[in-house]
Amino acid sequence: MRGNIAQMMQQAQRMQDNLKRAQEELAVLEVTGSAGGGMVSVTLTGNHEVRRVKIDPSVLSDAEMLEDLVTAAMNDAASKVKEESSKRMNAATAG
């Protein structure tokens, strides 16, 4: 019985270490979302902090289109962060 408890505690510690490592990796992760065939791109960290926004000068004359493209690029980047975060957290807790 004591061996089982000790083994469970070791597994819990390994999982905690894996989760911490995954969180550290996500903190430095950068993903880029884009819209309009690359006319607008947004780079986010794994913590959803914006690092860069690139806008093709050809869309600057149409404010409404630019707003839509920035929104779409942000959503694309956020979706990629969520996907990568899920993958890494699932890997950290597997087994």
Side-chain angles (χ1 to χ4, degrees), residues 26 29 31-32 44-46 48 75-91:
L26 286 171
L29 171 74
V31 299
T32 301
L44 295 179
T45 68
H48 292 93
N75 288 334
D76 185 41
S79 175
K80 289 177 179 180
V81 167
K82 182 178 179 181
E83 181 182 324
E84 191 63 32
S85 178
S86 291
K87 277 196 266 184
R88 292 179 189 227
M89 289 301 175
N90 286 338

Side-chain angles (χ1 to χ4, degrees), residues 30-90:
E30 288 190 358
V31 299
T32 301
S34 64
M39 292 192 307
V40 174
S41 65
V42 175
T43 302
L44 295 179
T45 68
N47 292 330
H48 292 93
E49 294 176 357
V50 177
R51 288 287 186 215
R52 273 183 299 286
V53 175
K54 291 187 180 181
I55 299 172
D56 187 299
S58 67
V59 297
L60 294 176
S61 61
D62 187 343
E64 188 174 332
M65 181 174 74
L66 179 57
E67 291 168 354
D68 291 343
L69 290 174
V70 170
T71 300
M74 287 289 298
N75 288 334
D76 185 41
S79 175
K80 289 177 179 180
V81 167
K82 182 178 179 181
E83 181 182 324
E84 191 63 32
S85 178
S86 291
K87 277 196 266 184
R88 292 179 189 227
M89 289 301 175
N90 286 338

